[in-house]
Amino acid sequence: MSVNDVGQGSPILFVHGFPLDHSMWREQVADLSRDHRCIAPDLRGFGQSTVTEGKVTMEQFADDLAALLDELKITEPVVLCGLSMGGYIAWQFVRRHSDRLRGLILCDTRAVPDSTEAAANRLKLADDVVRTGPELVANTMLPKLFSDRESNRRSQLKDELRRVILATDSRGIAAASRGMAERADARPWLAAMTCPALVMVGEQDVISPPPEMSEIATALPHATFRVIPDSGHLAPLETPQPVNEAIRVFLAEK
Ligand code: MLT
């Protein structure tokens, strides 16, 4: 697993969304590494990490993260900050490695599983992407990642993410798609997730909209809910300043 490991202090483990890599967290790592150890890996099949063909489940990704902490000799509990697919993985991390966790930051993610139709679409996408390459997934995902506000910075971010996606191994994209298609319903688990949580969502997120994330925050016993203005699904990259502030407040209060 390739990992960006920067800074010193209590550890924060950043788990990226689909089909991206660790670089989506760069604004958080740049800020928070001044007083925290920021660990931002590329998940199996993404960025510079090794690819597994077939399917990678959310459970497997969660176990990979625990193994990474072992490898880095991090024994103290971490704050896990996951976006979207990173949140799906976070649910499994809580269930399988809760002793390694001291807080959860859930950005733009969902607790509901895929509908039958959504799962079928993902399986089709997985097969198609292996045949035709990652451009297909770039074209599907990019229009959904940011708010509808136009700016040079947003255009640059889209271009940059297109490059990240086009450089990703199609087999890694397919394997994660198949894993997401069969992910479990996390809603029944939320009430038992007692660690402090920050639930954050871009106000224009069309993939995991604010009302759905508000339900997650309500179901978690110790959660704070924040809506980030002028932002879509990738709030940490689109509007880093309020996201970083919310994270700092959460870390200070915990
Ligand atoms: C992500 O950002 O990780 C994706 O939107 C997750 C998904 O496709 O459900």
Side-chain angles (χ1 to χ4, degrees), residues 120-170:
N121 287 340
R122 277 207 213 268
L123 297 181
K124 179 172 180 327
L125 178 98
D127 291 344
D128 290 349
V129 92
V130 170
R131 256 189 306 109
T132 66
E135 186 154 17
L136 169 70
V137 79
N139 293 340
T140 318
M141 290 298 294
L142 283 170
K144 296 190 275 190
L145 296 182
F146 296 103
S147 71
D148 56 15
R149 284 195 157 216
E150 297 202 356
S151 67
N152 285 342
R153 187 168 168 275
R154 284 176 177 83
S155 313
Q156 278 167 13
L157 287 174
K158 274 191 200 168
D159 291 347
E160 184 192 313
L161 291 184
R162 177 174 288 279
R163 284 194 293 276
V164 168
I165 297 171
L166 294 185
T168 305
D169 193 308
S170 296

Side-chain angles (χ1 to χ4, degrees), residues 17-18 83-85 88 122 141 180 207 233:
F18 170 89
L83 179 132
S84 203
M85 183 177 77
Y88 311 158
R122 277 207 213 268
M141 290 298 294
M180 285 194 285
I207 297 178
H233 187 60

Side-chain angles (χ1 to χ4, degrees), residues 71-235:
E71 184 70 25
L72 297 175
K73 309 219 172 335
I74 296 177
T75 50
E76 69 180 288
V78 303
V79 169
L80 189 156
C81 176
L83 179 132
S84 203
M85 183 177 77
Y88 311 158
I89 296 166
W91 305 135
Q92 291 298 339
F93 194 90
V94 180
R95 284 176 60 77
R96 300 162 81 85
H97 306 288
S98 64
D99 54 322
R100 310 201 73 153
L101 207 56
R102 90 190 163 92
L104 264 182
I105 303 175
L106 299 154
C107 306
D108 303 273
T109 192
R110 315 188 71 189
V112 292
D114 278 359
S115 64
T116 311
E117 190 192 348
N121 287 340
R122 277 207 213 268
L123 297 181
K124 179 172 180 327
L125 178 98
D127 291 344
D128 290 349
V129 92
V130 170
R131 256 189 306 109
T132 66
E135 186 154 17
L136 169 70
V137 79
N139 293 340
T140 318
M141 290 298 294
L142 283 170
K144 296 190 275 190
L145 296 182
F146 296 103
S147 71
D148 56 15
R149 284 195 157 216
E150 297 202 356
S151 67
N152 285 342
R153 187 168 168 275
R154 284 176 177 83
S155 313
Q156 278 167 13
L157 287 174
K158 274 191 200 168
D159 291 347
E160 184 192 313
L161 291 184
R162 177 174 288 279
R163 284 194 293 276
V164 168
I165 297 171
L166 294 185
T168 305
D169 193 308
S170 296
R171 296 166 306 164
I173 295 176
S177 297
R178 295 188 185 107
M180 285 194 285
E182 67 171 51
R183 74 186 190 281
D185 185 352
R187 286 171 299 181
W189 307 330
L190 299 180
M193 295 189 176
T194 50
C195 72
L198 169 63
V199 176
M200 235 185 320
V201 62
E203 85 179 320
Q204 292 185 36
D205 187 339
V206 290
I207 297 178
S208 42
E212 194 177 315
M213 288 219 74
S214 165
E215 282 175 22
I216 294 177
T218 305
L220 289 167
H222 302 293
T224 311
F225 181 54
R226 286 287 308 270
V227 177
I228 305 296
D230 302 328
S231 224
H233 187 60
L234 276 188

Side-chain angles (χ1 to χ4, degrees), residues 7 16 37 62 121:
H16 64 79
R37 182 169 179 184
N121 287 340

